[in-house]
Amino acid sequence: MITWFKDGKAIAKRYVWEIVMAAHDIFIKEESLVDVEIPEGVTCDVIGDVHGQFYDVLHLYKLTGPPSEKHFVLMNGDLVDRGSWSIEVILLAFAYKWLYPEYMYINRGNHEAKDMNRTYGFEGEAKHKHGEQAYKLFAHVFTTMPLATLLSASKPPSSKNAAILSPDGRRRFFIVHGGLFSKDGVTLDDIRKLDRVGRQPGQEGLMCELLWTDPQEMPGRGPSKRGVGIAFGPDVTKSWCTLNGVTGVIRSHEVRQNGYEIEHDGLCTTVFSAPNYVDQSGNKGAFIRIDAEGNREYTQFDAVPHPPMKPMAYLQGGLSSLMMM
């Protein structure tokens, strides 16, 4: 399938439906917060936004390696929109999820949503390549995707430091596309119990905030530059991590020129995996590798050439100026 896609070909519609329905049957059994433990001798790579940049995703998978028994992959939302190969990206990710459900994990992003897909290209691309019914199927399956992942080390850390640990002394990371909340006291169980299936993120509430919020340098909470969600400060992050025994929050949702940025006194890390975003940002991409002790390693990479197709080619009017969404 990868070779077929690289050659600019589309797979038959019946295969598209089979892959998407297979992913659906796995997602629907997962909770809104998925618990993943990294066994000894295993690593897990956390990948941020890739936004339909298929050729960069292929390069990224060469760096990470495919999902396997010794190597987990966690994609942290915004697989689609903007880039004009969103179908290829999402089908590849869903195929890996079908093949390796215990090694491949995918969180929902704010772009796995109907209103964003209409505005930023995925709806037009899906209909152009595989028809309206295929788009409707994708739109529903997006609502079954988990909202966050709790990634736990299986071994206590060998280096003793001041990190916040789980109740049993292990590092664990809350992986979510957007970030934290407009109110204090939200627990991991509150997130687990969210009823997500068939629902869009909306403009408020926990699901919206999980997919839309951003960190800010100032303490406390502030308005979002996006007009949706909020901005949360380092004190909010520390309080939430302490309450829930979480070593750190890993989130995506924003371009970082170096591909990643460690913020909030090390408790919040942003990772973004679409290099030279929409062919004009000039940023690096990055991913984070986490081992069985919860140690983190950061890898940066540059964009690779792709066929001559502009971002959002399937959207009438072309590239939107609303870059921050």
Side-chain angles (χ1 to χ4, degrees):
M1 188 175 74
I2 290 172
T3 301
W4 201 257
F5 286 161
K6 284 175 69 176
D7 291 341
K9 301 175 183 177
I11 61 172
K13 190 180 298 184
R14 63 192 178 99
Y15 296 135
V16 173
W17 283 61
E18 190 171 8
I19 290 168
V20 178
M21 288 305 301
H24 167 275
D25 291 346
I26 299 166
F27 289 140
I28 203 77
K29 296 173 185 174
E30 294 181 329
E31 294 185 301
S32 291
L33 175 63
V34 176
D35 288 282
V36 178
E37 183 177 284
I38 308 173
E40 187 169 2
V42 174
T43 57
C44 179
D45 286 343
V46 180
I47 295 170
D49 303 36
V50 295
H51 277 299
Q53 296 184 194
F54 179 66
Y55 294 87
D56 292 316
V57 168
L58 292 183
H59 176 56
L60 172 59
Y61 282 151
K62 285 182 180 178
L63 298 175
T64 64
S68 71
E69 187 176 358
K70 293 294 185 183
H71 176 68
F72 299 171
V73 173
L74 198 172
M75 300 194 75
N76 196 27
D78 281 15
L79 284 74
V80 303
D81 278 342
R82 290 214 166 89
S84 293
W85 294 276
S86 292
I87 282 288
E88 289 78 3
V89 169
I90 198 70
L91 285 175
L92 179 55
F94 280 4
Y96 275 144
K97 183 65 178 173
W98 183 15
L99 281 168
Y100 311 114
E102 295 180 358
Y103 313 139
M104 179 72 174
Y105 297 92
I106 310 173
N107 288 337
R108 188 179 185 181
N110 67 306
H111 277 268
E112 279 75 46
K114 281 185 176 179
D115 55 347
M116 303 302 281
N117 296 159
R118 187 172 303 116
T119 305
Y120 293 97
F122 180 69
E123 179 178 342
E125 181 183 342
K127 289 179 177 179
H128 175 83
K129 292 179 178 177
H130 296 294
E132 184 167 358
Q133 288 303 313
Y135 168 69
K136 289 181 177 179
L137 179 62
F138 276 110
H140 174 68
V141 175
F142 286 167
T143 75
T144 69
M145 293 165 67
L147 304 175
T149 301
L150 186 64
L151 190 61
S152 300
S154 58
K155 297 171 61 180
S158 54
S159 61
K160 303 300 180 184
N161 56 30
I164 301 169
L165 302 177
S166 67
D168 59 2
R170 295 179 295 163
R171 291 177 178 146
R172 58 183 186 174
F173 302 93
F174 181 67
I175 319 292
V176 65
H177 182 72
L180 299 180
F181 312 100
S182 60
K183 62 181 182 180
D184 295 330
V186 176
T187 67
L188 296 172
D189 278 341
D190 291 333
I191 300 164
R192 267 190 201 95
K193 293 172 184 174
L194 283 173
D195 183 9
R196 70 188 190 276
V197 177
R199 297 174 183 265
Q200 297 299 318
Q203 299 290 307
E204 60 183 9
L206 293 186
M207 184 190 297
C208 170
E209 291 169 0
L210 285 162
L211 303 188
W212 275 95
T213 60
D214 298 296
Q216 65 178 21
E217 292 182 10
M218 294 293 291
R221 295 178 173 91
S224 170
K225 61 181 181 285
R226 304 171 189 271
V228 183
I230 56 120
F232 58 96
D235 55 331
V236 174
T237 303
K238 184 175 182 179
S239 174
W240 188 85
C241 289
T242 301
L243 173 68
N244 289 284
V246 166
T247 307
V249 175
I250 298 175
R251 43 89 60 182
S252 301
H253 194 40
E254 291 181 289
V255 182
R256 291 293 188 264
Q257 283 304 117
N258 291 319
Y260 72 97
E261 186 175 356
I262 301 170
E263 306 167 74
H264 290 188
D265 301 315
L267 292 178
C268 181
T269 301
T270 298
V271 60
F272 193 83
S273 305
N276 195 27
Y277 182 43
V278 292
D279 287 351
Q280 61 184 252
S281 295
N283 60 291
K284 291 184 179 293
F287 64 91
I288 305 172
R289 177 161 293 181
I290 305 177
D291 67 16
E293 288 188 12
N295 299 308
R296 285 154 286 180
E297 178 185 350
Y298 304 88
T299 300
Q300 299 169 299
F301 59 97
D302 292 313
V304 297
H306 63 71
M309 184 176 288
K310 64 183 180 180
M312 296 198 296
Y314 299 95
L315 180 70
Q316 190 167 3
L319 183 62
S320 169
S321 63
L322 300 176
M323 295 290 292
M324 70 172 58
M325 302 297 277

